[in-house]
Amino acid sequence: MSVKAFELVPAVERALLMGDKARINIECIECCGKNLYVGTNDCFVYHFLLEEKTTSKEKLTFSVQKQQHKYLGLKKPVSELKAASALNRLIVLCDNTIMLVNMLNLDPVQSGAKIKGVVTFTVNENPVNGDPFCVELGVISVKRRTIQIYMVYEDRVQIVKELSTPEQPSAVRLDGYFLCLALTTQYIIVNYSTGASQDLFPFDTEEKKPIVKRIGREEFLLAGPGGLGMFATAAGISQRAPVHWSENVIGAAICFPYVVALDEGFVTVHSMLDQQLKQTLPFRDGHIMQDFEGKVILATMKEVYVLVPLPLERQIQDLLASQRVEEAIVLAEGAQRNIPKEKFLVMYRRILQQAGFIQFGQLQFLEAKDSFSKGQLDARELISLYPLLLSSTSTFTRSHPPLHEFADLNHLTQGDQEKITKCKRFLINYLKEIRSTEVANGYKEDVDTALLKLYAEADHESLLDLLVSENFCLLVDSEPWLEKHKKYFALGLLYHCNGQDDAAVQLWVRIVKDELQDTTRPDLYEYVVDFLSFCSSQELVWKYADWALQKNQKVGVQIFTRRPVDEEKAGKLNPDDVIKYLHKYSQAVTQYLEHLVLDRKIQKEKFHTHLAVLYLDEVLKLHSQSDQHSEELSTARAKLRSLLQQSCLYRVQLVLGKIKDTNLNLECAILYGKLEEHDKALHILVHQLKDFQAAEDYCLWNSEGRDLSYRQRLFHMLLAVYMDPAVDNDTLVMAAVDLLNNHAEVFDAVRVLRLVPGNWSIQLLCPFLRGAMRENMHSKRMSQVALGLAKSENAIYKHEKLKYKGLINLSEKKGCQLCHNTFSEPECVCYPNGILVHIHCAAKRNRDSASKQHFTNPQNHT
């Protein structure tokens, strides 16, 4: 696709060069800075001064002043010219002879330094000599198949190398030690230092004119077969794709990132970046094309022209204007090496932003997002396209010059609702992606506010996620927008984000009361309760506690039961105050006390007693209202029994006084057990309830955590109740037998045998006797083991004592290791490690555990 990359501007017109001499033709040209040199067929060299000028319409023109001309006196055409500015010399090839002339006055060098027998030559633009006042030449000699390397100085020339080629060369370029040669049938690369050569590709130079151009360090452009411009490195490989130019190319030049080629009727411009033809300019009768320091100069036989490149930024803007985004980006990236880094980054980011808006306008959202991200777009440029999304407090103004041509989203989509929806969906994804990145720094309020508006409008599920996370949504803009779209729950979250918890709860309460319609959260009542339970404002908690409890005591009390424990420690919420407040809510106060007693295990008598009384009142209430075997009553009694059994803090006498005159016998037995009145408790269990299993369980849980003798006493009391002589009941006898057989290890066998009637058979008590024997034998053997261990330990102590037995040297000069006073009496205590202390000090040490002294022997036995 075409792009205007160059303009062809006349430089030296026919009249200025030759006047009325019709037979004068241009043979070669050279440009060095502002100096333009022209060699003609009549052996003249012309010197012009080329000045660039810009017209009022910002068009580039050239002002040319002829400085002088000089006849070289050889009556042959001037074949080639090369400027050596460091030497102030012009290297001239005429009549197969290289001569040196002064660049300013064109006078030949007086020393007469010349190189004869030269077909063509090239200057090494990557010299290896290192001498700044020396020019290296590669020369094709008239001697067949010969290349020569010369060093040219200000007034002399010196040959340094001569090498042979397999075929006659016709064109040459030199870079460092590498010669790129066009031979008769092929191109080759030769290292003249080592002699190594590398074949490139075949080319018949007798049918077509070869082209060899150095385009960079160790890289060349060659005219290849099939009308291809081929790139080759000194290593013999191609790192760029070829360009397809004319079959009849007669000249080529490089003006990065373009390859410019000349044929019989046109100048063609190809991109080195994508190898596409970018521009074609008509140019008849052209026969010379050279590039000099980025300036491309062309010549016909009579006139000289300059191919002026348009600024890259203008080319890129032209591409963007025609919506050729990819080409514009490729061109911008290719221009990086020719532009200072900081300037390039500014330009490149703007180009990407422009490209992104073009892609956005074409609904190419993935490509647009990529361009916006790489170009670090100010998201407000995009947000401002959407009506009413940009916050009212924003001071943003669009970039100038503008990045796009759209007034707003309606202009871009022509009112197409489907396209508008797609564009809004894109903006949601884009803002969601960048809001937590550095790109959004400095205008997070605009990004989050726009995102909130889009979420609310689209009923998007991420609206709540935005509001429960850290956000920068502006209340003044977001509040009316959320009200407009009936997002009252979300508005409450926004109030909370802005520290207006009272307004948030008030709004949510109105939703729960159906004063406002919002179905975002069906469980909003539970949410409000949970919110209040973690709310730091005590005033807010008390304000809405009544409402929550009136609606549902079981849920509402969670305002107090879920609160952080550290609030009580800090004195913010006193449990006594809460209980006093909850007295009119029976279910709630019970749950709160359960929380204190059972969950937090607070060891306060008033809480335990209060809970026990509430449990009892509930049981009595249900007992009087419902069936004795109802599930609700059974559950209530189970809770009461559990508390009575596990807690030791409630006032037993108080509860017993309330329960005595009821038929809650099992609970009454538990209370007697708490008072250590076990005979009464067991009497109730055995004679009133006739629940023998409950009687056994009573003995077990009452003796839990006590020593064996206490448990044995309880079981013997139960056995005595079963075997009361005043009661003749076979059922009790069988209960006694079962008790003995099931818990043989607890009983004192001797006492039992004295108690049981003589008419009981051995078989009846066999399990008990077997268990009693086993327990007795076990106890005896354990006692023997303990005795043996004690004797062994005593033997060890005696051995240690004997081992340390010997003479003790005691004198008035020695001191006690504990009090550090000297010994005044011939009495002391000697530790196994030889340490001597006073008798009274040793006794004090053993008594005073708070001031233990650590000696070498850890046993500390004397």
Side-chain angles (χ1 to χ4, degrees), residues 258-323:
Y258 298 110
V259 175
V260 186
L262 173 66
D263 60 23
E264 295 174 350
F266 298 94
V267 174
T268 58
V269 180
H270 290 79
S271 171
M272 296 172 67
L273 305 174
D274 59 11
Q275 295 74 50
Q276 299 298 311
L277 176 64
K278 299 298 181 182
Q279 188 179 8
T280 302
L281 296 94
F283 188 70
R284 298 186 62 82
D285 301 325
H287 78 113
I288 297 174
M289 173 182 279
Q290 295 287 344
D291 56 279
F292 307 98
E293 301 170 356
K295 189 182 297 180
V296 179
I297 300 180
L298 300 92
T300 63
M301 290 293 185
K302 308 296 184 180
E303 296 174 321
V304 179
Y305 295 83
V306 178
L307 197 62
V308 178
L310 272 65
L312 277 174
E313 289 189 48
R314 179 176 165 186
Q315 296 180 43
I316 292 167
Q317 291 304 319
D318 290 344
L319 287 170
L320 291 173
S322 56
Q323 298 191 347

Side-chain angles (χ1 to χ4, degrees), residues 788-804:
L789 290 173
K791 288 180 177 180
S792 176
E793 187 178 15
N794 190 47
I796 292 171
Y797 295 158
K798 287 181 177 180
H799 172 72
E800 290 182 354
K801 183 177 179 181
L802 290 172
K803 187 169 62 173
Y804 288 103

